[in-house]
Amino acid sequence: MKNIDVSIIMGSDSDLPIMKDCAKFLDQMGISYEMKILSVHRTPEKATEYAKTLKENGVKIIIAGAGGSAHLPGVFSAMLPTVPVIGVPIYTKSLGGVDSLYSIVQMPSGIPVATVAINGAKNAGILATSILAVGNETIKNKLADFKDSLKTAVSNKDEKLQQLGYEAYLSNM
Ligand code: RP5
């Protein structure tokens, strides 16, 4: 039995440049994950088999990224009904990712997918971390430190704006 907290899945390697952002965040938080490319359209058998493996291994959260007619997160939510699934709608050239967003967010009642913004893979990593933090003080503290760093970054920017004024600030950007 493989002990992984999070499974990151995506429909194609073309999703990887975006999906790497959730892996990076989980790395930062010291959370274990595995990454897979599989598709409920192109590799339905492999996807079903992998869902069974995840069930057996007791995965805690799934992050699923898909673009276009994006069924991967919803189908995994259906196949693993007690595991939280976070969906990442991937930007598409034809429709700007609203196709992905609507496919992922408009799940039927009873089979939810927690949906982040188009290309919002980092937020998916943060959301997964906050779910895991519920029962884990170490993760909770790391996440709190990360949130504090956001506050500090904004305060530093404001301080710089006050010192330089907007014109000099913009010319430095
Ligand atoms: C989806 O189709 C994938 O999630 C990807 O976003 C989209 C396009 O896939 P490729 O044609 O780039 O392989 O299944």
Side-chain angles (χ1 to χ4, degrees):
M1 184 162 148
K2 221 194 286 180
N3 197 6
I4 51 151
D5 288 327
V6 182
S7 166
I8 301 172
I9 54 178
M10 63 204 87
S12 172
D13 63 349
S14 61
D15 303 326
L16 190 56
I18 298 300
M19 294 304 288
K20 71 166 188 333
D21 293 342
C22 62
K24 261 191 190 170
F25 190 79
L26 297 180
D27 282 333
Q28 206 180 317
M29 295 289 119
I31 292 170
S32 65
Y33 62 87
E34 78 178 359
M35 257 186 162
K36 287 262 185 204
I37 296 168
L38 34 81
S39 162
V40 290
H41 300 132
R42 292 168 176 158
T43 62
E45 296 84 4
K46 191 181 167 193
T48 312
E49 215 30 63
Y50 183 60
K52 272 190 213 152
T53 313
L54 289 179
K55 207 181 269 183
E56 283 160 17
N57 289 346
V59 71
K60 293 182 181 139
I61 300 171
I62 295 167
I63 300 176
S69 185
H71 296 128
L72 187 68
V75 172
F76 268 73
S77 180
M79 291 196 292
L80 291 120
T82 60
V83 178
V85 176
I86 302 170
V88 182
I90 302 292
Y91 178 86
T92 57
K93 280 191 192 123
S94 43
L95 295 171
V98 288
D99 42 352
S100 323
L101 174 65
Y102 289 165
S103 300
I104 294 175
V105 81
Q106 290 290 357
M107 287 296 291
S109 175
I111 318 291
V113 171
T115 310
V116 295
I118 295 167
N119 283 355
K122 183 171 181 183
N123 264 1
I126 295 170
L127 186 55
T129 303
S130 61
I131 295 169
L132 291 170
V134 169
N136 185 313
E137 279 302 307
T138 310
I139 295 176
K140 195 188 280 182
N141 291 336
K142 279 189 187 167
L143 186 58
D145 287 347
F146 166 73
K147 297 282 177 156
D148 283 346
S149 77
L150 298 181
K151 281 186 206 165
T152 310
V154 173
S155 299
N156 289 345
K157 285 175 188 172
D158 181 54
E159 207 174 297
K160 190 173 153 194
L161 178 64
Q162 303 317 312
Q163 276 168 8
L164 300 180
Y166 77 90
E167 284 175 333
Y169 191 110
L170 279 173
S171 65
N172 280 335
M173 274 178 95

